[in-house]
Amino acid sequence: MRKKVLIFAVLLLMTGVSATDARKRKEQKKENTVLTSERHEIDNFDFLYNDTQYDGGNASFTENLLDEAFSHIGTRYRHGAKGPSAFDCSGFTSYVYRQMGITLSPSSRDQYASNHPVSRRDLQSGDLVFFTGRNARGGVGHVGIVVDVNADGTFTFIHASTSKGVRVSQSTESYYINRYVGARRVM
């Protein structure tokens, strides 16, 4: 009988320990989950702890916008075309922005008139840049999307050119250098 009581006590003790261990493991798992979610939240604020500037999340938008634009490199030009198999200049910019959920007018003049003016010294990737057309009468006739801006205010832009389709050009190219009209930021 004594042996049975001893075995019972040992079993009871082991059951109690395993229940306690299970409870502790459950609490530890819960604590780890909280720590993981807190760590995740902290990771969202890495910009506070490094030297890079936080831009309100626009970097990924601009990166996606430019990725979409570059995916059409080489697509042919066709007057009045809105993509994706062919584009004119404003058809290209409106198509690219539409893929990001933003509707722009399919007219370069309307895109110029309806978006926020940006000075050349404040240009950023993703801004729209406007040039006079071939007749060079001073009005807007061509539009592209800024890819990169140099410290001296010159920039590269992606656009649908009449001669080579969707391509990247420099603001310093002879055709564009004196035709620049201005820039607009899509808000």
Side-chain angles (χ1 to χ4, degrees):
M1 172 82 167
R2 197 169 205 211
K3 202 174 196 180
K4 286 182 182 178
V5 170
L6 185 58
I7 291 173
F8 180 74
V10 169
L11 286 174
L12 187 59
L13 187 60
M14 288 177 69
T15 307
V17 168
S18 76
T20 302
D21 285 347
R23 206 173 19 252
K24 282 182 182 178
R25 278 193 299 266
K26 189 174 182 180
E27 287 173 12
Q28 183 67 36
K29 185 177 180 183
K30 193 180 221 181
E31 189 175 308
N32 286 344
T33 302
V34 170
L35 289 174
T36 302
S37 67
E38 285 175 0
R39 192 174 317 120
H40 178 70
E41 286 299 316
I42 290 170
D43 286 346
N44 289 339
F45 296 98
D46 283 345
F47 66 92
L48 294 173
Y49 307 106
N50 61 32
D51 293 336
T52 59
Q53 291 277 328
Y54 178 67
D55 70 347
N58 289 334
S60 65
F61 173 83
T62 302
E63 186 176 313
N64 291 337
L65 178 84
L66 292 176
D67 284 348
E68 176 64 32
F70 275 90
S71 74
H72 300 285
I73 288 282
T75 302
R76 68 189 177 98
Y77 179 93
R78 190 174 76 226
H79 182 73
K82 307 296 179 228
S85 59
F87 295 103
D88 69 4
C89 65
S90 56
F92 174 68
T93 55
S94 64
Y95 180 87
V96 169
Y97 267 92
R98 188 170 52 252
Q99 301 316 299
M100 301 297 109
I102 296 173
T103 302
L104 295 180
S105 166
S107 156
S108 58
R109 287 185 196 106
D110 289 347
Q111 288 177 14
Y112 183 78
S114 64
N115 289 293
H116 185 73
V118 177
S119 69
R120 193 166 180 155
R121 72 178 182 279
D122 293 328
L123 275 178
Q124 295 177 4
S125 297
D127 287 343
L128 298 174
V129 283
F130 297 87
F131 303 88
T132 59
R134 289 191 177 277
N135 62 20
R137 290 190 187 139
V140 170
H142 190 65
V143 61
I145 301 171
V146 174
V147 173
D148 193 32
V149 182
N150 301 314
D152 64 359
T154 61
F155 56 90
T156 56
F157 62 103
I158 187 168
H159 61 115
S161 74
T162 56
S163 60
K164 296 183 180 174
V166 176
R167 64 180 297 227
V168 175
S169 295
Q170 304 286 326
S171 63
T172 55
E173 291 175 27
S174 60
Y175 183 83
Y176 298 106
I177 198 163
N178 294 318
R179 294 177 186 263
Y180 180 76
V181 173
R184 296 293 185 261
R185 184 159 299 147
V186 178
M187 301 299 234

